[in-house]
Amino acid sequence: MNQEIDARGLQCPKPVIETKKILDKLQDGSIVTIVDNEVAMKNVSKLAQSMAYDVDVKQIESDYHINIYKGSMEPMVNMSKNTNGETVILIGDETLGQGAEELGKILMKGYIYTITEYDPYPKSILFINSGVKLTIEGSEVIDYLRGLEKEGVEILSCGTCLDYYKIKDKLAVGGVTNMYTIVDTLHSAKNKVTL
């Protein structure tokens, strides 16, 4: 059975949610989700890959046609021996704690650095709201985050938040995500840390 989802014009994370609804019902065959922006294309592709489905993408004029085939891939496994796959950290601010902003930035820098020295590493670090400013060019913690990503820690920044602050083109580490993936990642985690 082949189905088509026209997700053009839908706001994040609706293209992901509509695709998942169909994938959950799909017994076999393939679907194609059509989106009109690169971020949605990446988010839908990532969803399908996380569900162990084959994916190929074709760009037709300004649209992306994401073809998803149910199943020949093995489920994804953690990329690093150092990630425990059980802890997810949600960072919602560029500073840590309440009070003086300057002190909050110092504390956040110290927190991210400490993660690099702590074993085991978290599975994922999710950045939302002004926390996304930590993942862009010029961030004082960018080298720490790049090091964690190199070790297999998933670094994801909220696409809506990057758009709001008009800094998406400055993203310097990790990928862009959506609210569906954020909720799914948090709910799937054994341990959650929210800052």
Side-chain angles (χ1 to χ4, degrees):
M1 182 189 307
N2 298 315
Q3 298 187 48
E4 181 176 298
I5 304 166
D6 188 349
R8 289 173 288 191
L10 297 183
Q11 295 291 317
C12 167
K14 288 184 178 178
V16 172
I17 290 173
E18 294 305 313
T19 300
K20 187 173 187 305
K21 284 180 183 176
I22 300 300
L23 287 173
D24 286 343
K25 296 175 184 175
L26 186 69
Q27 296 298 315
D28 55 32
S30 63
I31 68 170
V32 56
T33 299
I34 305 171
V35 298
D36 56 8
N37 65 83
E38 186 177 356
V39 171
M41 179 274 287
K42 289 181 177 178
N43 286 332
V44 172
S45 297
K46 197 167 195 174
L47 167 76
Q49 290 166 346
S50 73
M51 297 174 77
Y53 296 158
D54 289 320
V55 179
D56 70 65
V57 179
K58 295 178 182 175
Q59 185 170 6
I60 300 176
E61 296 181 348
S62 61
D63 297 329
Y64 296 92
H65 291 236
I66 309 157
N67 297 290
I68 304 171
Y69 308 93
K70 187 147 189 178
S72 59
M73 294 174 65
E74 295 295 326
M76 295 177 70
V77 297
N78 290 329
M79 294 181 289
S80 169
K81 294 178 181 177
N82 294 325
T83 58
N84 66 8
E86 296 183 347
T87 301
V88 172
I89 301 171
L90 177 69
I91 297 180
D93 201 327
E94 62 183 316
T95 63
L96 181 60
Q98 303 292 319
E101 182 178 344
E102 183 178 358
L103 175 59
K105 288 183 177 180
I106 293 170
L107 294 175
M108 181 60 79
K109 184 177 180 180
Y111 180 82
I112 301 288
Y113 170 73
T114 303
I115 293 174
T116 69
E117 298 295 317
Y118 192 83
D119 188 25
Y121 293 140
K123 174 187 176 190
S124 305
I125 307 177
L126 310 174
F127 295 88
I128 62 171
N129 210 318
S130 65
V132 299
K133 295 180 180 178
L134 296 169
T135 63
I136 65 170
E137 297 168 3
S139 164
E140 292 187 350
V141 298
I142 203 68
D143 289 339
Y144 299 150
L145 294 176
R146 284 173 172 158
L148 289 167
E149 184 180 44
K150 191 175 180 180
E151 292 296 327
V153 177
E154 185 178 45
I155 308 291
L156 294 174
S157 296
C158 162
T160 300
C161 308
L162 291 166
D163 283 337
Y164 179 85
Y165 289 110
K166 297 181 174 49
I167 54 176
K168 185 176 285 179
D169 60 336
K170 296 180 179 178
L171 185 68
V173 64
V176 178
T177 192
N178 60 86
M179 191 54 69
Y180 176 85
T181 299
I182 291 170
V183 171
D184 187 54
T185 302
L186 286 171
H187 286 213
S188 301
K190 183 176 180 180
N191 304 312
K192 309 171 190 65
V193 177
T194 302
L195 301 178

